Each structure stands twice: as structure tokens, then as C-alpha cells.
Amino acid sequence: MPRLPTPPKLMQQFENGVIDRDELHAQMALHARVLIAEMEIEHEQPLESLWEQWRNRHHAARLMAKHGERRVREVLHALGELDDFPPATLLWNAAHFHVPLHCFIRSKRAPIFRIKKMSSTAVSVTVWIEYNEREGEEVISEKIYLERNRKWQLLVTKREH
């Protein structure tokens, strides 16, 4: 099954004339169905969902304490912009401060996305992450290097598996 483009990518495709309005609506409906399915799982397994939320909040709080919320969001947003990065479907709106940071971390429930380690300077960030796409798939570890461009935006410069 091909990976679904993120909503910003879909909007970009629509604005560039690559897809029409009906295709945009159909693709966005698929995103909505995925969210609804997740809400149903949370409703069916409240205790497991509570533990997952607690782990994710704890992980996000530790990242914010060490690196600051703005830096962590910048990194997540830059990762969400990658075309060939499966967790982009989780991270596409990481720059929006009204969405709590813990919503982007997935400790145990698939699709998994964890930041194992992060080191940063004013102009660069190195982040070690783990992720998978679906339940039962192997967890992939990556080391990703990000650097600031002339506009002071973080961009991925190198990835190592």
C-alpha cells in the first residue's frame, strides 16, 4: 500500500494542479479515517491508552526540559517535511503550538516514533530516532543530521541507518 501524502503535501499538489478537488477530498477523508480508527482504539483500550499517553507526555517533557519546546518542534517539523520518511504522517503539524508536543511521540503503539537522543547547537541538530509504520514491523533506527539554511530554517542534511 503506498504511503499517503501529508495534508500540507496534498494542499501543495492541489495548488499546483497535480490533483483535483475531488482527489484532495478523497485523500483528506483517508486521513480522517485513520484518526477515527485511532480514537476507536483509545476508546476500546482505555488503560493501555492512558499508559501510552503518560509515557509520551513524560518523554516530551524531558525533551522540552533539555532542548526547549521551540527547538524540538523545529526538529519534528523538519522531519515531517521529508518525502521518504514514514513518521511524516505523524509530524506534519509539529510546528503548530496549539497541538501538545506529546501528540507526536509514540512510545509503544504503532506507528512508533521515539527520539532516543538529541544533541543541538545554535546551527545544527543531531537526532537519533526509532520508528516503524505498522504493528508487527521491525523498528528502524536512524541518526539524522539537521543544519540551518540561510533563512535560519532547520533542514535535514544527512541520514544514517
Side-chain angles (χ1 to χ4, degrees):
M1 183 174 136
R3 194 174 300 127
L4 189 61
T6 62
K9 300 277 186 207
L10 288 171
M11 289 303 297
Q12 188 178 35
Q13 289 175 1
F14 174 69
E15 290 169 355
N16 293 338
V18 176
I19 60 174
D20 62 4
R21 184 175 301 277
D22 293 333
E23 182 66 22
L24 172 68
H25 286 231
Q27 298 279 338
M28 293 299 278
L30 289 175
H31 276 285
R33 281 197 275 280
V34 168
L35 289 173
I36 291 168
E38 257 189 55
M39 289 188 297
E40 288 172 346
I41 290 170
E42 291 215 1
H43 182 72
E44 293 167 0
Q45 303 168 356
L47 190 57
E48 183 182 318
S49 296
L50 188 63
W51 279 107
E52 177 74 3
Q53 187 182 68
W54 181 84
R55 283 189 294 264
N56 297 343
R57 284 178 186 267
H58 180 70
H59 190 80
R62 290 181 67 196
L63 284 169
M64 286 190 295
K66 187 168 184 180
H67 301 284
E69 183 177 6
R70 186 171 302 279
R71 175 76 45 93
V72 174
R73 285 185 183 277
E74 278 184 301
V75 169
L76 295 177
H77 178 72
L79 295 175
E81 292 287 311
L82 295 174
D83 290 327
D84 61 341
F85 189 62
T89 57
L90 295 172
L91 305 175
W92 64 269
N93 62 346
H96 299 159
F97 280 88
H98 65 279
V99 180
L101 194 59
H102 73 271
C103 294
F104 306 109
I105 308 295
R106 304 294 288 269
S107 299
K108 300 278 186 189
R109 186 186 308 152
I112 291 173
F113 177 77
R114 300 182 284 239
I115 297 176
K116 297 304 285 182
K117 183 179 173 186
M118 188 166 129
S119 63
S120 62
T121 65
V123 295
S124 68
V125 176
T126 304
V127 63
W128 291 260
I129 60 168
E130 292 181 341
Y131 64 89
N132 72 2
E133 276 188 89
R134 288 179 268 295
E135 189 72 39
E137 284 188 1
E138 182 180 338
V139 175
I140 299 166
S141 295
E142 267 192 70
K143 183 177 183 180
I144 300 176
Y145 300 90
L146 301 100
E147 291 182 6
R148 295 199 182 275
N149 64 6
R150 292 180 297 136
K151 295 179 181 178
W152 208 242
Q153 298 167 323
L154 276 177
L155 298 174
V156 174
T157 56
K158 185 177 169 186
R159 292 171 66 179
E160 296 176 359
H161 288 278

